[in-house]
Amino acid sequence: MMDPTRQWLDQTLLEIGIGSYVIAALALLAYFLFRLRVLRAVGMPLAIVGCAAQLGELGARWWMTGVWPLTNLYGSLSLFSAFAVLVFLIFAFKYDLALIGGPVLALAAIALGYATTWNEGYMPAVPALQSYWIKIHVPIVIGAYASFMVAFCVSLVYLLKSAVEAHYRDRGLRGVAAGAGGARVDVRLAAYSSAQPAGGLRADTPATADAAAHGDGFAAWMAGLPSLARLDVMQYRIIAIGLPLLSLGIITGAMWANEAWGHYWQWDPKETAALLSWIVYAAYMHLHTRPAWRGMRTAWVSVLGFGSIVFCYLGVNIWISGLHSYKM
Amino acid sequence: MATRSDLALTQRAATALRESWDDLVRLFANVGFGVSLLAVWGLLTLIGVVIDQGKDAATYAAAYGPPGARLIERLDLGNIYHSAAYIGVLGLILCSMAAATFTRVIPRRIPRLGPVKIDAIPLHASVRVAGTPDEVRARLAAFFAARGWQIRKREFGGEEWTFADKNNWARRGVLVAHVGFVIIATGTTLYWAKGYSGQFAVLSGQTATIPQTGATIALRRFSYRIDPIATKAGVVYQPIDYVSDARVTGKDGITRDAVIRVNHPYDVDGTLVYQSTYGFAIDLRLTKDGRAVPGAPDQPLKEGEGFPIDGTSRSVQYTRFVGTIDRATGGPGADPRPNDPGVVLTAYDGDRPIGSVLVPLGRPLDLGAGYVLTPARYILYSGFQYGYDPGIPLVGLGAFVLLAGLCISLYFLPARLFVIVRAVEGGSEVGLAATTVKGYDVFEDRFRDIVDALRRSAPQPAQGGA
Ligand code: HEM
């Protein structure tokens, strides 16, 4: 057991983490809706504070107890939310992607809140987990999961934007059929077929832009989101972080299993579920090489991929018996 | 002697065969087909995760009902990872990958240098600058070289084209990734062909043999450490360490002391022995009217083992070891360490359980009809796994190559700029287009920056502008 002062530090850092995420999530969701810079100015620093507090809490726990804090679901889910926020922050600053902060921070807050229900205190690890591999394997896998979560949030925005575009397109076509909007078709065709001018974002939601130009408030709000092409590239870049990490996670897991259980691959439900996610994201990468599939379909595959990650991370432990059974 | 019509027939057959072969290769090389195979692979893998593998028909019937169990048996879903379907899909994926690599990846990813229609490429621009085409080409070469682009010049139809490449080497990343997958597949096949693995349990004081090599492992002592830990939810008994103190004899006949611990396998002639589990075997004594009975077990039983009672339809199973019997309740206590140990015994009539009871060690249990069963003492046993896998170095190499291929193809974007310079009034016009192996969107920002930098750095033509 730790002494009360250390417990207080642990608890306080945890509360700062959750508190910051909740407020940051609300501020960034509001920023997504209202695009007021002040909301972003509140949300982003809080996301940084929350992430630092969380990493600090895990580090402090390790330092104070001498026990690697990632041997249970509390530690791993905490790291998951901290890494997801970290990946988000990197992309937000590097590629101006703060708009997706709302869903990322909200999911991070939920993950951390759920993690606290698994917070048993300070347990030493069971024999199978007393290995240097845990220090390598777990953060890598969690880093992969976290990246896929952020990519999933980008995919949601992509799907939202393209669904809205389809809606305005259908409306426009109905208008054309009724003889009321011939000009719109021309604008759209021109935008789709136009050779790419150097510079500027591709006008890849012409129907939405058109509706916005005709005074539709919701369309104007939608048009303010990054272009579909940009969202697709972001989603791809984030998955391109997650897939090698997941591959490395599976490889290090196999190396550890080889050392601990006698074979690098035992078709254990947990490792097999990780393989399943790997297959989904490998399929994503291949589909993304085809222009016809890049976009809506790859966004759906990213959503499916994150579903498979949730299944692998939590579902297998909850629903499937005889698991990655921390066997000893 | 073959007649002319025979020859024509043979030729037609050869052509038809060739066409069918080409069709097949085209199908296999199609990315959609490859992804469909990946989807089937994923689906089979999912089935394997959801349906507990390697269980018997009764377990499946209990979980999914008799029709479900029949389906599982018929489709071999209980052993899916070694089923023909699973291995077949992996084989098809390898074929598909090979076809795609030779007919698509290599030509598409490593294209020859050639002229293009600049305007037809979505990322294109034209910039008017001062100077003759030759001067401009020289300046452009310096401009791109300074930014790390590899410059090559070629003449086509009397026109000189400049090609600037970034990360050209990384065009081979996909090949590397695909080769990595093939190496992993080869390594796993080697295990299937030549490797083996298994498990056994040895009681303290006894010796076990690895059947494939004849090596013996004598367990001198097994020790464990379980500590009580105070947590928010109360005291939890956490295992801390398991160690087998053994003597191992390999092929050379020399016996060596071996400490085999979790996460630290012991190597006997290339076969690795792993500490995997432990348990408490129970020495059960059965008497009838005070005298030993022939059918009684002559070996201590491990958890889950049982024995029939001679001359009856009944049997007794040693179900579970209880380290500490709770004095207050008479039931199992939380501490798994053997402080006040007992065993849970279950009686069966045929296959049907007819009752369980927790018996303290040393206490006789009256089974009726003069039979008395006494759990006399416990003996610790150690569970080992062993394995020999000659494919491991290949699988490791393949994993490394696959990962390297992934990183090359995902982090180094090969991009090619096609540059043509033509004389116009007052100077030259630079036509510029960019392609990458991942489409255009991913390069849009960079292309814009390049064109902007070019515009800024180039001297303006005498009149007019871009
Ligand atoms: C499961 C094992 C496989 C792995 C690990 C793998 C890996 C990769 C990677 C990393 C890329 C590069 C993706 C990118 O640059 O965005 C790629 C591209 C490609 N893969 Fe695979 N692949 C596998 C299976 C297959 C299969 C079964 C096919 C059969 C069609 C295939 C065909 C291709 C093709 C044609 C490309 C290049 C596409 C293009 O240049 O447009 N791969 N692969």
Side-chain angles (χ1 to χ4, degrees):
Chain A
M1 280 293 272
M2 291 199 312
D3 67 50
T5 324
R6 290 171 173 195
Q7 275 193 33
W8 175 85
L9 177 65
D10 186 67
Q11 189 62 26
T12 307
L13 285 172
L14 179 60
E15 281 162 12
I16 292 176
I18 293 195
S20 308
Y21 283 173
V22 170
I23 303 172
L26 292 173
L28 290 174
L29 280 171
Y31 174 59
F32 181 74
L33 293 175
F34 305 116
R35 317 274 160 75
L36 296 174
R37 295 194 72 81
V38 63
L39 292 166
R40 179 189 157 133
V42 172
M44 294 302 283
L46 278 175
I48 298 173
V49 169
C51 184
Q54 266 209 288
L55 292 172
E57 190 258 349
L58 289 172
R61 211 176 245 228
W62 184 22
W63 173 61
M64 291 185 301
T65 60
V67 176
W68 182 243
L70 302 182
T71 53
N72 57 21
L73 204 52
Y74 169 73
S76 96
L77 272 170
S78 296
L79 193 69
F80 169 72
S81 48
F83 274 3
V85 175
L86 197 62
V87 172
F88 157 70
L89 286 171
I90 292 169
F91 275 78
F93 285 114
K94 189 154 183 228
Y95 297 106
D96 193 17
L97 208 62
L99 271 176
I100 62 145
V104 173
L105 267 293
L107 286 177
I110 291 169
L112 186 54
Y114 180 56
T116 56
T117 65
W118 291 87
N119 187 3
E120 306 139 311
Y122 319 101
M123 294 268 283
V126 296
L129 300 185
Q130 293 166 18
S131 163
Y132 60 93
W133 280 115
I134 195 173
K135 297 184 181 140
I136 302 168
H137 169 70
V138 176
I140 290 174
V141 172
I142 298 294
Y145 292 173
S147 311
F148 292 137
M149 190 266 255
V150 181
F152 164 74
C153 293
V154 177
S155 312
L156 289 184
V157 178
Y158 186 102
L159 291 170
L160 172 72
K161 194 162 184 190
S162 56
V164 169
E165 169 67 7
H167 163 76
Y168 283 116
R169 190 165 51 218
D170 289 350
R171 226 173 62 173
L173 286 177
R174 275 203 300 279
V176 174
R184 286 187 197 172
V185 179
D186 289 340
V187 166
R188 188 170 52 247
L189 289 179
Y192 277 143
S193 61
S194 72
Q196 214 27 228
L201 291 174
R202 180 138 59 101
D204 53 11
T205 47
T208 310
D210 188 30
H214 284 81
D216 184 323
F218 179 62
W221 178 82
M222 261 294 149
L225 289 173
S227 72
L228 289 179
R230 190 174 178 79
L231 287 169
D232 173 68
V233 170
M234 290 306 123
Q235 174 196 267
Y236 172 82
R237 288 211 163 117
I238 302 170
I239 291 178
I241 296 176
L243 182 60
L245 280 179
L246 182 63
S247 312
L248 192 59
I250 293 175
I251 293 168
T252 51
M255 290 163 95
W256 182 7
N258 195 44
E259 200 171 291
W261 300 341
H263 205 266
Y264 60 85
W265 196 263
Q266 302 227 14
W267 297 108
D268 169 280
K270 189 84 174 181
E271 63 194 11
T272 318
L275 173 67
L276 176 65
S277 296
W278 186 87
I279 296 170
V280 176
Y281 284 106
Y284 171 94
M285 281 301 165
H286 283 86
L287 291 176
H288 200 265
T289 64
R290 304 258 68 76
W293 281 75
R294 207 177 284 145
M296 184 86 163
R297 298 180 206 187
T298 40
W300 276 115
V301 177
S302 160
V303 170
L304 180 73
F306 186 61
S308 77
I309 290 290
V310 173
F311 175 68
C312 169
Y313 191 10
L314 303 175
V316 169
N317 293 37
I318 294 167
W319 295 311
I320 315 280
S321 61
L323 331 159
H324 203 49
S325 2
Y326 297 117
K327 275 193 173 173
M328 305 290 150
Chain B
M1 231 181 97
T3 63
R4 190 175 289 188
S5 71
D6 279 346
L7 265 178
L9 206 65
T10 321
Q11 253 168 15
R12 266 212 305 281
T15 314
L17 205 67
R18 206 187 154 77
E19 278 171 5
S20 314
W21 170 254
D22 288 348
D23 282 349
L24 191 71
V25 171
R26 244 194 311 278
L27 170 71
F28 270 64
N30 187 308
V31 176
F33 181 73
V35 169
S36 312
L37 288 175
L38 290 179
V40 176
W41 182 22
L43 193 71
L44 294 179
T45 305
L46 178 64
I47 292 174
V49 177
V50 174
I51 296 177
D52 236 354
Q53 295 294 290
K55 296 287 182 282
D56 55 16
T59 314
Y60 292 130
Y64 304 102
R70 268 198 302 280
L71 191 72
I72 289 173
E73 190 170 349
R74 200 157 305 149
L75 299 180
D76 207 5
L77 302 182
N79 181 31
I80 200 158
Y81 304 123
H82 300 95
S83 66
Y86 203 83
I87 296 166
V89 163
L90 285 173
L92 286 178
I93 287 176
L94 288 170
C95 295
S96 166
M97 210 164 78
T101 301
F102 290 110
T103 65
R104 295 184 74 107
V105 174
I106 294 177
R108 255 181 59 81
R109 295 240 161 182
I110 314 175
R112 296 197 184 166
L113 300 179
V116 291
K117 249 181 113 308
I118 294 274
D119 293 356
I121 294 178
L123 287 184
H124 73 263
S126 65
V127 183
R128 285 190 173 209
V129 296
T132 66
D134 278 343
E135 287 164 4
V136 172
R137 269 193 286 271
R139 279 207 311 266
L140 280 174
F143 172 87
F144 286 118
R147 284 165 177 74
W149 292 78
Q150 177 201 353
I151 300 294
R152 282 177 290 177
K153 292 184 177 169
R154 297 283 186 280
E155 216 177 282
F156 299 100
E159 276 195 315
E160 186 173 318
W161 282 80
T162 304
F163 302 94
D165 275 292
K166 208 50 101 13
N167 296 327
N168 206 22
W169 63 276
R171 289 177 180 272
R172 286 146 194 91
V174 182
L175 297 182
V176 176
H178 287 176
V179 167
F181 191 71
V182 173
I183 300 178
I184 293 179
T186 314
T188 48
T189 312
L190 208 58
Y191 169 71
W192 280 339
K194 294 212 162 129
Y196 53 80
S197 64
Q199 55 195 35
F200 55 83
V202 204
L203 263 54
S204 305
Q206 292 194 345
T207 301
T209 306
I210 298 177
Q212 286 88 347
T213 65
T216 60
I217 297 177
L219 182 65
R220 292 211 296 212
R221 210 172 92 85
F222 174 81
S223 42
Y224 61 88
R225 205 182 112 204
I226 296 176
D227 283 354
I229 311 283
T231 69
K232 290 186 178 165
V235 174
V236 175
Y237 291 87
Q238 182 85 335
I240 304 291
D241 200 11
Y242 309 142
V243 197
S244 288
D245 177 5
R247 288 178 69 72
V248 178
T249 313
K251 263 196 225 120
D252 57 9
I254 299 173
T255 300
R256 296 175 177 86
D257 287 340
V259 174
I260 309 176
R261 190 178 231 121
V262 178
N263 284 329
H264 298 279
Y266 187 84
D267 185 339
V268 202
D269 307 325
T271 299
L272 295 175
V273 180
Y274 303 81
Q275 177 68 60
S276 98
T277 182
Y278 77 97
F280 297 86
I282 299 293
D283 193 0
L284 284 172
R285 309 238 161 100
L286 182 69
T287 58
K288 183 158 196 263
D289 304 327
R291 256 174 282 131
V293 184
D298 50 3
Q299 279 281 335
L301 299 187
K302 301 184 198 81
E303 285 184 349
E305 292 179 343
F307 66 94
I309 298 175
D310 259 12
T312 71
S313 60
R314 301 202 165 181
S315 58
V316 175
Q317 184 202 47
Y318 159 38
T319 309
R320 189 158 77 82
F321 183 77
V322 173
T324 308
I325 298 176
D326 188 330
R327 294 254 173 229
T329 64
D335 191 346
R337 295 170 299 183
N339 304 311
D340 183 5
V343 292
V344 176
L345 299 173
T346 308
Y348 284 84
D349 192 3
D351 282 347
R352 197 168 50 87
I354 49 176
S356 276
V357 59
L358 171 58
V359 189
L361 279 198
R363 172 100 44 94
L365 174 69
D366 187 353
L367 297 180
Y371 283 104
V372 172
L373 183 65
T374 314
R377 62 185 182 118
Y378 71 82
I379 302 145
L380 271 168
Y381 68 85
S382 183
F384 294 104
Q385 299 211 11
Y386 65 91
Y388 167 68
D389 184 352
I392 283 184
L394 268 189
V395 173
L397 174 72
F400 175 77
V401 172
L402 172 60
L403 192 63
L406 272 179
C407 291
I408 295 171
S409 21
L410 300 183
Y411 299 143
F412 298 90
L413 178 68
R416 176 165 294 168
L417 297 175
F418 300 83
V419 187
I420 181 89
V421 183
R422 293 185 175 118
V424 289
E425 208 186 313
S428 300
E429 186 175 65
V430 181
L432 192 71
T435 61
T436 81
V437 296
K438 293 189 211 305
Y440 306 104
D441 294 333
V442 74
F443 200 64
E444 192 181 319
D445 292 352
R446 295 262 307 279
F447 186 69
R448 185 179 50 204
D449 292 347
I450 292 167
V451 174
D452 285 350
L454 193 64
R455 283 210 171 100
R456 276 196 310 274
S457 71
Q460 293 301 305
Q463 43 173 272

